[in-house]
Amino acid sequence: MNEILFKTLENGKGLYKIQKATLGSAGFDLVAAILDKKSLKPNETELIPCGFSLELPISFEAQVRPRSGIALKNQVTVLNTPGTIDSDYRGEIGVILINHGKNIFNIERGMRIAQIVFQKLPEIEIIESQTLSKTDRDKGGFGSTGLD
């Protein structure tokens, strides 16, 4: 099993039980490690601190993803989804939230605002080439395979 180190920061104390919500959950919940309530206005973006740092194995990344319930009910999502956290980053984990809705979205301390998923990266080598193999799609992109 691969180990991921989790360091609670001062603003994250008392917020986390390091566990998944259910046995079948792919990710771990991220919560708002803020002291005071924040109001995210329509079309506004805010970086919300999560109160911890990570140390990932060199062959891993972490992805910050939206919570579907917040997106569906409030039109609030993670702006750069998925947000990638590299294995050499040691700073505080944060979530860039954006409010696409028409109403103010209130964020309180400890509120579950996103989720984090860990992925093992493949070992690859990029090789420069003057030619690439042909496919049926070839250079067609952005809707070239149809809408159905």
Side-chain angles (χ1 to χ4, degrees), residues 69-144:
I70 292 176
L72 176 64
K73 295 173 185 171
N74 303 282
Q75 296 77 53
V76 172
T77 190
V78 177
L79 182 60
N80 63 325
T81 193
T84 297
I85 301 165
D86 298 309
S87 64
D88 58 350
Y89 178 66
R90 297 295 185 269
E92 182 171 11
I93 304 304
V95 176
I96 304 169
L97 288 181
I98 185 167
N99 184 350
H100 288 297
K102 296 177 181 163
N103 300 314
I104 291 174
F105 181 71
N106 292 313
I107 305 164
E108 297 183 8
R109 179 172 175 77
M111 180 181 201
R112 296 180 300 152
I113 56 169
Q115 58 184 315
I116 192 168
V117 174
F118 300 98
Q119 297 287 331
K120 184 166 178 52
L121 300 170
E123 290 187 32
I124 62 169
E125 179 182 359
I126 307 258
I127 300 170
E128 188 170 359
S129 176
Q130 298 302 313
T131 61
L132 302 174
S133 64
K134 296 285 184 190
T135 67
D136 289 340
R137 182 179 187 174
D138 204 44
K139 294 180 183 176
F142 298 108
S144 65

Side-chain angles (χ1 to χ4, degrees), residues 23-96:
L23 184 63
S25 294
F28 296 81
D29 286 328
L30 296 175
V31 303
I34 54 178
L35 299 178
D36 299 313
K37 181 169 90 171
K38 288 187 181 279
S39 295
L40 192 61
K41 298 175 188 152
N43 299 313
E44 189 174 49
T45 300
E46 181 90 28
L47 176 63
I48 308 297
C50 293
F52 69 92
S53 298
L54 293 171
E55 183 175 331
L56 302 172
I58 196 76
S59 60
F60 276 73
E61 70 157 330
Q63 294 181 0
V64 176
R65 299 179 183 180
R67 293 194 66 233
S68 58
I70 292 176
L72 176 64
K73 295 173 185 171
N74 303 282
Q75 296 77 53
V76 172
T77 190
V78 177
L79 182 60
N80 63 325
T81 193
T84 297
I85 301 165
D86 298 309
S87 64
D88 58 350
Y89 178 66
R90 297 295 185 269
E92 182 171 11
I93 304 304
V95 176
I96 304 169

